[in-house]
Amino acid sequence: MNITRAGRSIRGFMSVQSENPELLKAQYRAFTRQMPMMYFILLSSTWALAITHFGVAPSWLTTGGPLLLTCGCLLRVVFWLRTRHFEPSPDLAYAALKRANRLAGFIAISFTLWSFALVPYGDAYLRSHVAFYMAITVISCIFCLMYVRSAAFIVALIVNGAFVAFFISTAQPTFVAIAVNLLLVCAGMMSILLTNYQNFESMVVSRQRSDALSTENFKLANLDSLTGLANRRAFFAALEVELEKARLSGNRLALGVMDLDGFKPVNDLYGHSVGDRLLVEVAIRLSDVLKASTPFRLGGDEFAIIAPLPPESDQLVINANAITARLREPYHMPEGTVHVSASMGIAVFPDLALSREQLFDRADYALYHAKKKQRGRAVLFNSDLEKQINTDAKIESVLKQANLDKELSLVFQPIVDIRNQVTLGFEALARWDSPTLGKVSPAYFIPIAERAGIVSSLTRPLFKKALAAANRWDPSLRLSFNLSAHDLNSESGVLSLIGIIESSGFDPRRLDLEITETAFTHDFEQVSQSVAMLRCLGCGISLDDFGTGYSSLTRLHALPLTKFKIDRSFVTNLHQSPSSYKIVKSLLTLSADMGLDCVIEGVETEEELAAIIALGGISVQGYLFSPPLPEDQVMEFATLNGHEYRTRAG
Ligand code: C2E
Ligand code: CA
Ligand code: CA
């Protein structure tokens, strides 16, 4: 049993191992580097031995033999030198190493036979030279063959075996001593060589592991683990590369950035695992639908597409809308069918964007625009948007330096009970009179301040002013005040609002805080928590611009609301538009079912008012009753009732 195992392990040492392809390649590389050196040592010492035998041994031995061996060796040297820079496949490396194994045996036998053939001709000096030649040459060959363990073993076995047998058989004490000495030295060397080879092997394996690790790290760093798409980091790198290519070739390059509409409600309603599966499905659809362009996931529900050589603008938008249409199709999940859409912003190099940053910012701006004006569709960044960007940037920079306390003021628009024309309260609306820009509408500067993240610095002075003004009103009047998502998406934000209410001395029960549905899309958890805190204080909470967002009923139920405000867009020409009529009717029914008050905004004409009365609406706000008024006219309006005021104004 032991003998067979020993036999097997000897056979293992004598043949090339083929299990690890990387090891084979590494062996091949190390081997080819050392081969010319081995042949150089072999030939130089062979010729040294041959020359000392000139005239003593026959010339076929001193010249013919070495010449033949030299020719054979030179052929191999040339071969190895030519293949030095060749990167072999594992199969080729294996074949070459096996061939080297066989050749090692053949060369060892040839040189040994030639050396022995010289022994009978020389005196003691020359015979010692033969012994020295064989001993020293075999040692250097073993060293050179270190990385092909099997070849080193074959050479050691053949040369040493023959050497020891031959010189011990001479019974000459010096030669016997040399033979024993060589045997011991070679045994020691073989063990060093084995250790060396093992080190070499483990070095190759560990390098292999670290290569695999760095490939894995590269994947982790550049791929989105959920969807398998390239991630944000890969996106910016790819955008840089593609942009450079486009610059050099003079071609156009389109960038599309996308954001899902209604993704957050899916997450809230069905849970994150459904949300995750939805994102995976979106990634699959994107990859399917894209041909020449690459999709990326930038994070959350944001995706991007880099499209080299895009078609002209019109066709580009058509193609992009084919993508948004595909993403709008229902997603069938075991938990139910999910509906989301995707808005896309596109910018094209070099049309209106020259750098990577500009391309991204402008596509992002077009996306923002799409979200606001054309949800679920693609918008191409154009010169109108460019003008708007410049205006926005100007407004933002002036706003950041403005003396907000001084420049911001409020006007108040009455909310009237249409059953008895009694004024219920006023909505405070911001006004900004800038020394450099003049009067700027809140419809402009509020969204800009929100995007710039500075809206809370506007809210605080406005809120203080609104409460101070309302403190001077008749206690029967309520105050409505508009809040932004940013005011509510942190605990410190809501605490600062509560602080302002408390220090104003205004009764929180007379206060209605207006929040749009989109405020909840930012951070539903935190915003609902903030709203709950304000509700606890006694404040009313109105859902502003109701009907324009995408709130699900489940989400609305989860909020401690006290009022809906039906958006103006459904009220305009209500009496002539059956669809608006139906919407207002169902929103009124919904608010009644939920036990909530409902304010109808933007009533401008008697016809609209008549339709609202017919639908059973109660609280109304709009130019028909009054535009927003300066503070000094508030009490005057409230003391007249809405009807009288209208009559007087008319
Ligand atoms: P909103 O909260 O929906 O306010 C109603 C807007 O509609 C006001 O515009 C008001 O003047 C206008 N409006 C009222 N009745 C009618 C009508 O019959 N017809 C028409 N065409 N418009 C009418 P305003 O004052 O320009 O405010 C625009 C938006 O700016 C507001 O919309 C609100 O979202 C925001 N905003 C205004 N003040 C503030 C504020 O202090 N804080 C925050 N966060 N947002 C504010
Ligand atoms: Ca409002
Ligand atoms: Ca509104």
Side-chain angles (χ1 to χ4, degrees), residues 75-267:
L75 278 177
R76 294 299 295 164
V77 170
V78 171
F79 172 78
W80 286 121
L81 283 177
R82 280 176 60 180
T83 54
R84 209 167 14 158
H85 302 298
F86 170 69
E87 221 357 90
S89 68
D91 284 347
L92 274 178
Y94 181 60
L97 292 174
K98 266 178 68 171
R99 208 169 41 241
N101 241 11
R102 281 197 302 274
L103 265 172
F106 179 72
I107 290 171
I109 292 172
S110 313
F111 279 86
T112 308
L113 287 178
W114 175 74
S115 321
F116 286 153
L118 287 174
V119 173
Y121 297 100
D123 55 11
Y125 281 122
L126 287 178
R127 256 179 273 150
S128 304
H129 191 182
V130 172
F132 175 78
Y133 160 80
M134 289 181 77
I136 205 72
T137 314
V138 78
I139 290 174
S140 44
C141 286
I142 289 173
F143 256 107
C144 291
L145 291 169
M146 165 153 95
Y147 297 113
V148 192
R149 193 179 56 180
S150 48
F153 263 87
I154 290 171
V155 169
L157 213 70
I158 293 174
V159 180
N160 286 336
F163 186 96
V164 171
F166 184 82
F167 284 102
I168 288 185
S169 72
T170 60
Q172 213 287 330
T174 313
F175 284 135
V176 174
I178 292 177
V180 172
N181 198 349
L182 178 65
L183 201 63
L184 293 175
V185 169
C186 276
M189 274 195 38
M190 290 315 289
S191 102
I192 294 173
L193 189 133
L194 272 185
T195 321
N196 247 357
Y197 181 79
Q198 272 158 5
N199 289 345
F200 172 73
E201 197 174 6
S202 53
M203 188 189 80
V204 171
V205 171
S206 78
R207 199 175 46 210
Q208 235 174 316
R209 281 207 198 108
S210 81
D211 284 356
L213 204 67
S214 51
T215 316
E216 187 59 23
N217 281 346
F218 179 82
K219 267 194 188 168
L220 278 181
N222 288 282
L223 284 189
D224 168 49
S225 57
L226 177 67
T227 60
L229 294 185
N231 64 12
R232 191 178 186 89
R233 179 197 174 103
F235 164 74
F236 282 107
L239 188 58
E240 186 72 68
V241 171
E242 290 301 330
L243 198 60
E244 196 50 41
K245 274 196 220 161
R247 261 192 211 114
L248 292 174
S249 57
N251 287 326
R252 292 160 78 239
L253 178 76
L255 166 67
V257 293
M258 256 183 319
D259 190 290
L260 299 183
D261 313 306
F263 174 70
K264 291 201 175 72
V266 171
N267 249 347

Side-chain angles (χ1 to χ4, degrees), residues 350-370:
D351 297 1
L352 282 169
L354 292 171
S355 68
R356 184 180 80 159
E357 284 66 30
Q358 210 174 31
L359 200 57
F360 185 74
D361 286 350
R362 299 196 150 188
D364 194 47
Y365 192 82
L367 169 64
Y368 167 73
H369 191 79

Side-chain angles (χ1 to χ4, degrees), residues 427-429 480-482 514-516 544-545 565 601 621:
E427 176 179 2
L429 292 158
S480 290
F481 186 82
N482 295 285
E514 300 194 2
I515 302 157
T516 59
D544 205 354
D545 303 344
K565 291 192 80 173
E601 291 188 297
Q621 185 180 352

Side-chain angles (χ1 to χ4, degrees), residues 101 130 409 419 618:
N101 241 11
V130 172
S409 62
R419 292 170 305 185
I618 298 169

Side-chain angles (χ1 to χ4, degrees), residues 439-514:
K439 287 187 166 55
V440 186
S441 158
Y444 266 118
F445 71 80
I446 294 283
I448 290 172
E450 283 174 342
R451 256 168 88 80
I454 54 167
V455 77
S456 296
S457 61
L458 277 68
T459 302
R460 281 189 292 269
L462 284 169
F463 198 27
K464 283 180 196 159
K465 284 184 187 195
L467 290 165
N471 260 331
R472 295 186 280 269
W473 302 346
D474 186 275
S476 66
L477 293 170
R478 300 182 66 81
L479 168 70
S480 290
F481 186 82
N482 295 285
L483 291 178
S484 292
H486 290 272
D487 298 319
L488 300 169
N489 63 10
S490 73
E491 200 175 292
S492 59
V494 73
L495 288 177
S496 122
L497 293 177
I498 291 174
I500 293 173
I501 298 171
E502 284 180 340
S503 57
S504 74
F506 189 77
D507 182 354
R509 285 168 302 178
R510 286 173 58 200
L511 187 59
D512 289 309
L513 295 169
E514 300 194 2

